[in-house]
Each structure stands twice: as structure tokens, then as C-alpha cells.
């Protein structure tokens, strides 16, 4: 996530725990969905980079993809396309010599609808996401991980 290296962020905490063991690189893009991420992935990770093969690559999408089509058509991605985009990203990584056992998919997190609705109202829009819909995207992420042979961090279930 783009902001994970801010003070107290999980990216900063992870980098601190792994200091002198490995570098933690963040390529988060706030507001992106899998359609946009799939397009820019080849610019971020290429075959033959000067860096060693990563110990792990995480793919963490679904919150924006699961936005309601009628309320947030810019970010919404249909469920089937979301799954296909995740598979495409895993396949791309494999094509640049990052094996699937080094790829970790992360499910979208549950949504607190009341808190999200308050933010939507502040921004002058209607509630544009539902927890039940996010759950469908989390399940799709789990299925993609199984299909692709990757590990998965199921934040959806862990945070329920």
C-alpha cells in the first residue's frame, strides 16, 4: 500500500524487523485497481533487474475493485475480471523468473460500512462499497491463489 511506510505503518514496521536481512520495497499505488496495476506491473518488475530475485512479492488488491459499479464506476472492476487480472499478474511474475512460491496474494480487508459511509458523505457521495461485496472479492482472491499455487494472506477472515 502506498502509505505503508508512513510513521507507524506496517511497511515501516516490516522493514524495521528485517533490517540487515533484506530490503523491503514498496510499490503501492493508492486508488488503483487490478486493471491499472496489471498495466504498470511490467514497469515495476522486469526480467534481469540488477536486484536479486525477490524473497517475496505481495499482491494486495480488491478494495477498489469491489467498489459498487453504480456508485463508483471509475474504480469498480467486475469480479471475474478481478480474478483474471490477479492471475495475469501472477503469470507475469512467473515470466520474469519469480516463481509462484514467492508470490503472496493478500485478500481485501473487511469494510466497516458505517465508518466508510461517513467518509463518503464528507466527500459528497453515497456509500459506494459494501462489506458483503468485498467478501466476494476476498473469496475470489483465495480461489486465484489456489489455482495459481501461490500463498495467500487472508486478511478478510483474520479481521472478521
Amino acid at each position: 500500500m502506498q502509505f505503508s511506510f508512513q510513521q507507524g505503518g506496517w511497511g515501516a514496521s516490516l522493514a524495521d524487523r528485517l533490517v540487515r536481512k533484506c530490503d523491503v520495497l514498496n510499490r503501492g499505488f493508492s486508488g488503483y485497481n487490478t486493471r491499472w496495476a496489471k498495466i504498470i506491473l511490467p514497469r515495476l518488475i522486469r526480467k534481469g533487474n540488477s536486484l536479486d530475485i525477490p524473497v517475496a512479492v505481495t499482491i494486495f488488491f480488491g478494495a477498489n475493485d469491489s467498489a459498487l459499479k453504480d456508485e463508483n464506476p471509475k474504480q469498480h472492476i467486475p469480479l471475474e475480471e478481478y480474478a483474471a487480472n490477479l492471475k495475469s499478474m501472477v503469470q507475469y511474475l512467473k515470466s520474469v523468473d519469480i516463481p509462484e512460491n514467492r508470490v503472496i496474494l493478500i485478500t481485501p480487508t473487511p469494510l466497516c460500512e458505517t465508518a466508510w459511509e461517513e467518509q463518503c458523505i464528507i466527500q459528497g457521495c453515497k456509500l459506494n462499497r459494501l462489506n458483503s461485496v468485498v467478501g466476494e472479492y476476498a473469496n475470489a482472491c483465495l480461489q486465484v491463489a489456489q489455482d495459481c499455487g501461490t500463498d495467500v494472506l487472508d486478511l478478510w477472515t483474520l479481521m472478521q
Side-chain angles (χ1 to χ4, degrees):
M1 294 179 70
Q2 181 171 332
F3 305 112
S4 67
F5 275 78
Q6 290 179 341
Q7 186 173 352
W10 68 269
S13 296
L14 183 62
D16 185 54
R17 282 192 64 109
L18 296 174
V19 71
R20 295 185 179 199
K21 295 177 183 151
C22 68
D23 296 324
V24 177
L25 303 175
N26 177 23
R27 296 296 182 261
F29 289 85
S30 180
Y32 274 55
N33 58 32
T34 55
R35 185 181 294 157
W36 303 331
K38 186 176 88 167
I39 292 168
I40 65 165
L41 181 60
R43 296 182 205 156
L44 304 174
I45 299 176
R46 296 190 259 326
K47 193 171 190 169
N49 269 1
S50 59
L51 298 173
D52 293 331
I53 293 176
V55 172
V57 174
T58 60
I59 300 175
F60 186 14
F61 287 95
N64 295 324
D65 298 75
S66 65
L68 300 176
K69 182 179 181 179
D70 291 341
E71 299 301 327
N72 190 348
K74 183 178 178 185
Q75 289 182 313
H76 171 78
I77 299 296
L79 186 60
E80 298 77 22
E81 182 183 348
Y82 166 74
N85 290 342
L86 288 178
K87 285 180 184 179
S88 177
M89 287 188 268
V90 172
Q91 291 166 349
Y92 171 76
L93 292 170
K94 190 174 178 181
S95 79
V96 295
D97 298 331
I98 298 173
E100 57 272 354
N101 67 352
R102 292 186 180 215
V103 177
I104 303 167
L105 297 180
I106 304 174
T107 67
T109 62
L111 174 71
C112 177
E113 287 180 20
T114 55
W116 186 254
E117 186 172 28
E118 288 175 13
Q119 291 302 308
C120 290
I121 290 168
I122 289 170
Q123 295 177 14
C125 62
K126 296 179 184 177
L127 178 65
N128 59 21
R129 298 175 190 193
L130 296 173
N131 195 44
S132 61
V133 175
V134 178
E136 294 173 14
Y137 283 71
N139 285 332
C141 182
L142 293 171
Q143 186 61 53
V144 169
Q146 184 178 355
D147 293 348
C148 292
T150 67
D151 285 327
V152 64
L153 175 56
D154 185 2
L155 290 181
W156 169 261
T157 301
L158 290 171
M159 294 176 73
Q160 288 290 355

